[in-house]
Amino acid sequence: MNGLSIKLAIVPIVTMLCICKAITNLHPVILVPGSGGNQLEARLTTGYKPLNLLCDRWYPLCKDKEGWFRLWFDPSVLLGPFTMCFAQRMMLYYDPDLDDYRNAPGVETRVPEFGSTEPLLYLDPNLKHFTAYMAPLVESLEEIGYVSGENLFGAPYDFRYGLAAEGHPSHVGSKFLQDLKDLIEKASASNGEKPVILLSHSLGGLYVLQLLNRNSPSWLRRFIKHFVALSAPWGGTVQEMLTFASGSSFGVPLVNPLLVRGEQRSSESNLWLMPSPKLFDPGKVLVITPNEAYSAHDIPQFLNDIGFPEGVIPYKSRILPLTEALTAPNVSVTCIIGTGVKTPETLFYGKAGFDEEPEVVYGDGDGTVNLVSLLALESICGADNKSQPLKVIRISGISHTSILEDNVALGEIVGEISSINSHAEVQFA
Ligand SMILES: *[C@@H]1O[C@H](CO)[C@@H](O)[C@H](O)[C@H]1NC(C)=O
Ligand SMILES: *[C@@H]1O[C@H](CO)[C@@H](O)[C@H](O)[C@H]1NC(C)=O
């Protein structure tokens, strides 16, 4: 008998075991995507003032009966003139009277299908091959018995918005945290009262940490089994300073970064991802120009000098105190990160100023997030801390986004979820 026929004989038994396990054993998993990691829909109202004829209300042609269309992601944004319409519609505004952010005038937005994994599988369901996001991860989880809608859920959100320090309103971000809390309770209730595993990517991890920090230890014990954070930028990234200074073409060479720079600067969550002075050393210069040198402690001056003074007040009052209060989640955590990928660490700008792309010196990280930021929880809690169980899995050569599609990385993630499922119920006994 050869190996193949043995495998064939075993398959039905293994499948049966998996099905039993799905019914009796698995802790529900909730996926929380990163920035740009789920679809976002928009509708234009009478208050909308198009930039030009091209951006008028006819565009895009495909809308539903109530006028809703997919704002993110739609491939037409890659074409110059439409990039401008997109940027205008995606733009956020900080309103000093409200002390909060809001949408562009005449633009309503919504996140489709909260609770479902559907809006985070593909950013554009018509272009599955090019825009797959969490689809490979969801397939891998299904292989160990997870079933979307039963014990596997998605928590998409409006990733342009962020959260603010205590005492400052953040209407959209706080609503998301409440929806996520409700989803956790519902997922637990429909799965035999089992506590939930939260599985985030990138920015999603910062939201989850805030949710954990803002709920009582007794609620956490009751509802959270484990928090698995993939590629979380706990302390921001130097890449974000590049985005604010010169714009970022979302990795698409066709897009002129200057066309989207204004929109990217306006995003509250981008401001949240500026390198945190809590983690980046004051002596460590991150951006150098012919006249100035900026560390993570000089972000307000930097925002001013790049021509974005509007960002200074919300950064100082809302973001800085939030990132300085970075605290342990007080639930069991696994951080899974990529390392050994060249990641922007110092930016050198010449006489031409911030409109020109800088010379970049690279350091260690996952290509987007610097290692010091990926490892921030470890540096805050200390390794082997009995009161804060924390495990870090490093995967060499895996980038910020390839962690969601590479087979080795997916194997590590799913292995970790399986192992969490086989741990005993009581953790803090
Ligand atoms: C962490 O949780 C434990 C109970 O699980 C609680 O006694 C402790 O006060 C919590 N720590 C913080 C900082 O909230
Ligand atoms: C352990 O982690 C807690 C946060 O949960 C922190 O307050 C404490 O200082 C840490 N202890 C050590 C020895 O690092």
PDB file of all heavy atoms in Angstrom, residues 327-330 379-388, ligand 2:
ATOM      1  N   THR A 327      -1.455  50.651  26.573  1.00  0.00           N
ATOM      2  CA  THR A 327      -1.340  49.744  27.730  1.00  0.00           C
ATOM      3  C   THR A 327      -1.615  48.308  27.321  1.00  0.00           C
ATOM      4  O   THR A 327      -2.210  48.049  26.270  1.00  0.00           O
ATOM      5  CB  THR A 327      -2.352  50.105  28.851  1.00  0.00           C
ATOM      6  OG1 THR A 327      -3.448  50.755  28.270  1.00  0.00           O
ATOM      7  CG2 THR A 327      -1.732  50.945  29.922  1.00  0.00           C
ATOM      8  N   ALA A 328      -1.216  47.408  28.204  1.00  0.00           N
ATOM      9  CA  ALA A 328      -1.379  45.984  27.933  1.00  0.00           C
ATOM     10  C   ALA A 328      -2.866  45.651  27.805  1.00  0.00           C
ATOM     11  O   ALA A 328      -3.702  46.262  28.458  1.00  0.00           O
ATOM     12  CB  ALA A 328      -0.763  45.199  29.067  1.00  0.00           C
ATOM     13  N   PRO A 329      -3.193  44.679  26.952  1.00  0.00           N
ATOM     14  CA  PRO A 329      -4.599  44.337  26.708  1.00  0.00           C
ATOM     15  C   PRO A 329      -5.256  43.573  27.859  1.00  0.00           C
ATOM     16  O   PRO A 329      -6.478  43.528  27.934  1.00  0.00           O
ATOM     17  CB  PRO A 329      -4.552  43.483  25.451  1.00  0.00           C
ATOM     18  CG  PRO A 329      -3.133  43.124  25.214  1.00  0.00           C
ATOM     19  CD  PRO A 329      -2.274  44.052  25.991  1.00  0.00           C
ATOM     20  N   ASN A 330      -4.476  42.961  28.726  1.00  0.00           N
ATOM     21  CA  ASN A 330      -5.026  42.199  29.853  1.00  0.00           C
ATOM     22  C   ASN A 330      -5.858  40.987  29.421  1.00  0.00           C
ATOM     23  O   ASN A 330      -6.756  40.556  30.138  1.00  0.00           O
ATOM     24  CB  ASN A 330      -5.833  43.115  30.798  1.00  0.00           C
ATOM     25  CG  ASN A 330      -5.792  42.631  32.242  1.00  0.00           C
ATOM     26  OD1 ASN A 330      -4.993  41.747  32.584  1.00  0.00           O
ATOM     27  ND2 ASN A 330      -6.665  43.165  33.084  1.00  0.00           N
ATOM     28  N   SER A 379       7.829  45.338  24.482  1.00  0.00           N
ATOM     29  CA  SER A 379       8.654  46.284  25.231  1.00  0.00           C
ATOM     30  C   SER A 379       7.855  46.943  26.353  1.00  0.00           C
ATOM     31  O   SER A 379       8.420  47.327  27.372  1.00  0.00           O
ATOM     32  CB  SER A 379       9.324  47.312  24.309  1.00  0.00           C
ATOM     33  OG  SER A 379       8.379  48.054  23.605  1.00  0.00           O
ATOM     34  N   ILE A 380       6.534  47.043  26.209  1.00  0.00           N
ATOM     35  CA  ILE A 380       5.727  47.652  27.268  1.00  0.00           C
ATOM     36  C   ILE A 380       5.451  46.661  28.402  1.00  0.00           C
ATOM     37  O   ILE A 380       5.530  47.012  29.577  1.00  0.00           O
ATOM     38  CB  ILE A 380       4.406  48.190  26.679  1.00  0.00           C
ATOM     39  CG1 ILE A 380       4.705  49.477  25.915  1.00  0.00           C
ATOM     40  CG2 ILE A 380       3.369  48.453  27.755  1.00  0.00           C
ATOM     41  CD1 ILE A 380       3.583  49.934  25.049  1.00  0.00           C
ATOM     42  N   CYS A 381       5.137  45.429  28.057  1.00  0.00           N
ATOM     43  CA  CYS A 381       4.757  44.452  29.088  1.00  0.00           C
ATOM     44  C   CYS A 381       5.959  43.702  29.623  1.00  0.00           C
ATOM     45  O   CYS A 381       5.920  43.180  30.737  1.00  0.00           O
ATOM     46  CB  CYS A 381       3.781  43.428  28.526  1.00  0.00           C
ATOM     47  SG  CYS A 381       2.362  44.161  27.749  1.00  0.00           S
ATOM     48  N   GLY A 382       7.024  43.603  28.842  1.00  0.00           N
ATOM     49  CA  GLY A 382       8.151  42.769  29.229  1.00  0.00           C
ATOM     50  C   GLY A 382       7.848  41.326  28.834  1.00  0.00           C
ATOM     51  O   GLY A 382       6.704  40.886  28.927  1.00  0.00           O
ATOM     52  N   ALA A 383       8.883  40.602  28.398  1.00  0.00           N
ATOM     53  CA  ALA A 383       8.674  39.194  28.047  1.00  0.00           C
ATOM     54  C   ALA A 383       8.454  38.408  29.339  1.00  0.00           C
ATOM     55  O   ALA A 383       8.847  38.860  30.409  1.00  0.00           O
ATOM     56  CB  ALA A 383       9.898  38.686  27.291  1.00  0.00           C
ATOM     57  N   ASP A 384       7.807  37.252  29.250  1.00  0.00           N
ATOM     58  CA  ASP A 384       7.586  36.366  30.415  1.00  0.00           C
ATOM     59  C   ASP A 384       6.893  37.074  31.562  1.00  0.00           C
ATOM     60  O   ASP A 384       7.237  36.881  32.721  1.00  0.00           O
ATOM     61  CB  ASP A 384       8.929  35.816  30.940  1.00  0.00           C
ATOM     62  CG  ASP A 384       9.453  34.726  30.035  1.00  0.00           C
ATOM     63  OD1 ASP A 384       8.618  34.062  29.385  1.00  0.00           O
ATOM     64  OD2 ASP A 384      10.680  34.575  29.963  1.00  0.00           O
ATOM     65  N   ASN A 385       5.947  37.919  31.271  1.00  0.00           N
ATOM     66  CA  ASN A 385       5.221  38.642  32.307  1.00  0.00           C
ATOM     67  C   ASN A 385       3.991  37.806  32.683  1.00  0.00           C
ATOM     68  O   ASN A 385       3.102  37.614  31.861  1.00  0.00           O
ATOM     69  CB  ASN A 385       4.820  40.013  31.748  1.00  0.00           C
ATOM     70  CG  ASN A 385       4.171  40.885  32.785  1.00  0.00           C
ATOM     71  OD1 ASN A 385       3.568  40.383  33.737  1.00  0.00           O
ATOM     72  ND2 ASN A 385       4.292  42.193  32.599  1.00  0.00           N
ATOM     73  N   LYS A 386       3.947  37.349  33.924  1.00  0.00           N
ATOM     74  CA  LYS A 386       2.865  36.436  34.340  1.00  0.00           C
ATOM     75  C   LYS A 386       1.500  37.107  34.262  1.00  0.00           C
ATOM     76  O   LYS A 386       0.491  36.470  34.015  1.00  0.00           O
ATOM     77  CB  LYS A 386       3.111  35.940  35.772  1.00  0.00           C
ATOM     78  CG  LYS A 386       4.369  35.118  35.912  1.00  0.00           C
ATOM     79  CD  LYS A 386       4.051  33.672  36.245  1.00  0.00           C
ATOM     80  CE  LYS A 386       5.183  32.717  35.925  1.00  0.00           C
ATOM     81  NZ  LYS A 386       6.537  33.299  35.848  1.00  0.00           N
ATOM     82  N   SER A 387       1.457  38.444  34.514  1.00  0.00           N
ATOM     83  CA  SER A 387       0.147  39.100  34.510  1.00  0.00           C
ATOM     84  C   SER A 387      -0.292  39.479  33.092  1.00  0.00           C
ATOM     85  O   SER A 387      -1.414  39.913  32.888  1.00  0.00           O
ATOM     86  CB  SER A 387       0.160  40.329  35.420  1.00  0.00           C
ATOM     87  OG  SER A 387       0.917  41.355  34.817  1.00  0.00           O
ATOM     88  N   GLN A 388       0.581  39.311  32.103  1.00  0.00           N
ATOM     89  CA  GLN A 388       0.194  39.625  30.717  1.00  0.00           C
ATOM     90  C   GLN A 388       0.764  38.559  29.770  1.00  0.00           C
ATOM     91  O   GLN A 388       1.866  38.724  29.229  1.00  0.00           O
ATOM     92  CB  GLN A 388       0.685  41.024  30.327  1.00  0.00           C
ATOM     93  CG  GLN A 388       0.419  41.394  28.866  1.00  0.00           C
ATOM     94  CD  GLN A 388      -1.030  41.223  28.456  1.00  0.00           C
ATOM     95  OE1 GLN A 388      -1.905  41.925  28.938  1.00  0.00           O
ATOM     96  NE2 GLN A 388      -1.327  40.256  27.574  1.00  0.00           N
TER      97      GLN A 388
HETATM   98  C1  LIG B   2       3.655  43.163  33.334  1.00  0.00           C
HETATM   99  O1  LIG B   2       2.621  43.725  32.565  1.00  0.00           O
HETATM  100  C2  LIG B   2       1.859  44.716  33.232  1.00  0.00           C
HETATM  101  C3  LIG B   2       0.731  45.111  32.314  1.00  0.00           C
HETATM  102  O2  LIG B   2      -0.148  44.074  32.190  1.00  0.00           O
HETATM  103  C4  LIG B   2       2.758  45.883  33.590  1.00  0.00           C
HETATM  104  O3  LIG B   2       2.018  46.846  34.297  1.00  0.00           O
HETATM  105  C5  LIG B   2       3.930  45.389  34.428  1.00  0.00           C
HETATM  106  O4  LIG B   2       4.836  46.446  34.655  1.00  0.00           O
HETATM  107  C6  LIG B   2       4.655  44.241  33.729  1.00  0.00           C
HETATM  108  N1  LIG B   2       5.679  43.679  34.585  1.00  0.00           N
HETATM  109  C7  LIG B   2       6.956  43.552  34.188  1.00  0.00           C
HETATM  110  C8  LIG B   2       7.854  42.870  35.161  1.00  0.00           C
HETATM  111  O5  LIG B   2       7.377  43.964  33.124  1.00  0.00           O
END
